[in-house]
Amino acid sequence: MSNTQQGTDSVRAAAQQTFRDHLDHLSSGRFAEWVDLFAEEGVLEFPYAPKGYPAQVAGKQDLLVHLKSFSENFRVEFTDLRFHETTDPSLVIAELKSEGVALETGRPYNQTYISVVETKDGKISRYVDFWNPQVAAEALGGGNDDLVSAFSND
């Protein structure tokens, strides 16, 4: 194996491990460790965010607030993780599922995700989270207002 291939494999392995660590920290409520996976100006994006829900969360402080909102509303376990190889070894594309519950309602929160994650020097610089907000809204009570209020900073 060439040095170039070893370097590529090393970068890919580190990026995928960062993603695995993200899932582990998120599901176990390890907030400080989760935020530390992100670059200082790391961004978390939600392309399917309903009206009133943040389409983007940027910077470690706002990421921490968002994570705490998630963990106050849901308990999840991530399953069925599958990585898709990319030409850019620092880019992670993953499919996964979660099995969980909305804490206030006791309703199931079983979600399917596709994650597109850009890393640089082992840190997440951009995380695009494709998930179905309707699943979260139904788990929280039935409507988008329930989802928006669960993640409101007010």
Side-chain angles (χ1 to χ4, degrees):
M1 183 181 299
S2 72
N3 285 342
T4 302
Q5 184 61 44
Q6 286 177 330
T8 298
D9 291 348
S10 176
V11 169
R12 179 172 284 113
Q16 290 179 354
Q17 186 59 52
T18 296
F19 188 82
R20 283 186 192 94
D21 291 345
H22 144 73
L23 296 177
D24 181 51
H25 299 343
L26 181 60
S27 63
S28 63
R30 291 167 28 211
F31 307 136
E33 292 172 82
W34 182 82
V35 169
D36 194 46
L37 294 172
F38 284 80
E40 278 307 315
E41 295 304 319
V43 176
L44 181 56
E45 298 176 16
F46 305 103
Y48 299 139
K51 184 177 182 180
Y53 187 90
Q56 178 177 301
V57 179
K60 287 189 172 191
Q61 185 58 39
D62 288 346
L63 287 165
L64 183 59
V65 169
H66 183 79
L67 174 64
K68 285 184 177 179
S69 294
F70 181 84
S71 68
E72 289 168 356
N73 288 285
F74 299 103
R75 287 290 174 262
V76 296
E77 185 174 314
F78 295 102
T79 63
D80 301 330
L81 175 60
R82 191 171 118 199
F83 291 113
H84 296 275
E85 192 167 318
T86 63
T87 56
D88 177 352
S90 66
L91 177 67
V92 173
I93 297 178
E95 279 183 80
L96 62 144
K97 294 182 179 182
S98 70
E99 296 175 2
V101 63
L103 297 175
E104 188 171 313
T105 65
R107 291 180 178 181
Y109 177 69
N110 300 322
Q111 185 69 260
T112 300
Y113 303 88
I114 295 176
S115 300
V116 178
V117 182
E118 297 173 14
T119 65
K120 184 175 180 179
D121 300 326
K123 299 286 187 181
I124 298 169
S125 57
R126 180 174 179 238
Y127 189 126
V128 185
D129 197 12
F130 295 91
W131 55 285
N132 183 347
Q134 192 58 44
V135 171
E138 289 173 5
L140 290 168
N144 282 342
D145 289 345
D146 299 307
L147 177 61
V148 170
S149 66
F151 286 86
S152 173
N153 293 331
D154 299 335

